Structure formats: structure tokens, C-alpha cells
Amino acid sequence: MADGTHSVWRHAGAPRSLVLRLKHGGEVRAAELLAAGMVEEARAMGLGQGVIVTSVTMPAIRRRRRGIDHGRVLAERVAEGIGAAYVPLLRRRKGWRHTQAGLNRQKRLENLWDAFTCAPLDGECVLLVDDVHTTGATAYICTRALMAAGAGRVCVLTATAVPEARRKEKQSEAGGAMERPPTA
């Protein structure tokens, strides 16, 4: 069963600034501040004992360029705050995938389709932590991989969410949600 995405703040103002400082500036202190609010939300989600916390795996080239895997740092802080294990379950398949920045939902889905594999799971509840919920494409693709690997439940928690009007605009640019693989 896949649950919806929970976001703590709107992607604006101070929360947006903290996400950008973490993501592009490598400021670990920003992760600590964001995680504090995310931990409260995670506790309210009723995840139960034995939840596994994971993150979206960043491409190695981008991780080397930035010097930090901001998603992992954020997920580790959330895991620590809720007393859960952080496990890097998602692995990127070989091959270059372009950044998601500036892409609409359809292009984001195409960009990430079959990009991830996952370590085998046995019915566990997984909390997927990410920095920003924009169109939902990354959460959708990662949830598919986690469920295919045997997760019993996947919950998504992001620090911020792009305002609903902007998400709908991005989705309409792409023609709405996509439930099957992109066509060539």
C-alpha cells in the first residue's frame, strides 16, 4: 500500500531558503533545522515500530560536484529523530539521468522511469524522505520501485511542497498523471 505525500512547509520563504542552502550550499545545519519539523510530522503519521527510513539516491556525479548527498543527510536526521534505521534502499541504475529541475511532470517521469532498483524487502513500512515535493514524479517512481521490491507500505515525507497551483500547472503542462511507461 502506498500512502500520500506529507510535506511540512510550503516551498517559500525560510523553509525554501533552508532547502536551497542544504541542497546547493551543503549546509548540514539546514538539514538539522528542517528535520526537526519533519520528525514531528513523521511521528504524527503513525508509522509504527520497525519503519525503515530511506532517501532518493543522488547521481554520483552530482554528489561529487556538490560534496554532499543532501537527501541522505536529511533522511538520516529524520531517522535519528524518530528512532528508526536509515537504510539506503534505492539504487540508481547505470546511465546518466538529467536533473529534474525545470521539467514538467511528464518529462520528470520519463527522466526517472526505471531509474531505480531496490534492495529486497519483506513487507516493511518504508518512509521515503525528500527535500521538495514538486510534481510528485520522483515520489511516484521511487514508491513503485520500493513496492516492487516488497515494501508493505510506503509513506513519503518532504520538507517542503511547491504550492498546489504551481503543481497543477506543471501537471497540466504534461497532460496529467501517467500510470504506464513513457512511449518513445
Side-chain angles (χ1 to χ4, degrees):
M1 161 181 136
D3 288 353
T5 299
H6 298 255
S7 300
V8 181
W9 298 282
R10 192 168 172 234
H11 192 63
R16 179 181 181 274
S17 177
L18 286 170
V19 166
L20 294 175
R21 288 168 57 185
L22 171 62
K23 190 173 197 164
H24 300 293
E27 293 184 33
V28 175
R29 178 73 177 128
E32 294 164 2
L33 294 170
L34 291 166
M38 295 174 77
V39 164
E40 288 180 37
E41 182 69 19
R43 287 183 179 140
M45 291 167 67
L47 300 169
Q49 297 292 348
V51 65
I52 297 171
V53 178
T54 198
S55 59
V56 179
T57 305
M58 176 184 272
I61 192 167
R62 201 168 310 132
R63 188 175 50 249
R64 283 191 300 271
R65 190 175 340 121
R66 291 184 183 170
I68 188 173
D69 183 338
H70 67 282
R72 180 178 182 144
V73 170
L74 190 57
E76 287 173 339
R77 298 305 185 281
V78 170
E80 181 181 324
I82 64 171
Y86 171 82
V87 181
L89 295 171
L90 294 164
R91 299 197 186 355
R92 285 195 181 252
R93 294 186 192 270
K94 298 252 186 248
W96 172 253
R97 299 290 180 173
H98 298 282
T99 179
Q100 298 284 76
L103 300 179
N104 64 30
R105 181 175 172 81
Q106 178 70 33
K107 294 293 183 190
R108 286 171 182 247
L109 286 163
E110 290 172 8
N111 189 43
L112 290 179
W113 199 263
D114 289 332
F116 297 99
T117 60
C118 181
L121 294 164
D122 190 23
E124 293 92 338
C125 175
V126 177
L127 177 63
L128 175 65
V129 172
D130 203 2
D131 57 346
V132 181
H133 174 83
T134 305
T135 66
T138 302
Y140 175 77
I141 295 294
C142 291
T143 296
R144 279 183 73 242
L146 291 162
M147 295 299 289
R153 179 179 176 201
V154 177
C155 300
V156 179
L157 176 62
T158 67
T160 65
V162 171
E164 186 71 24
R166 181 66 185 130
R167 273 201 311 273
K168 285 183 180 178
E169 179 182 313
K170 284 183 169 284
Q171 289 175 0
S172 68
E173 290 170 7
M178 183 180 75
E179 297 300 324
R180 55 194 144 92
T183 56

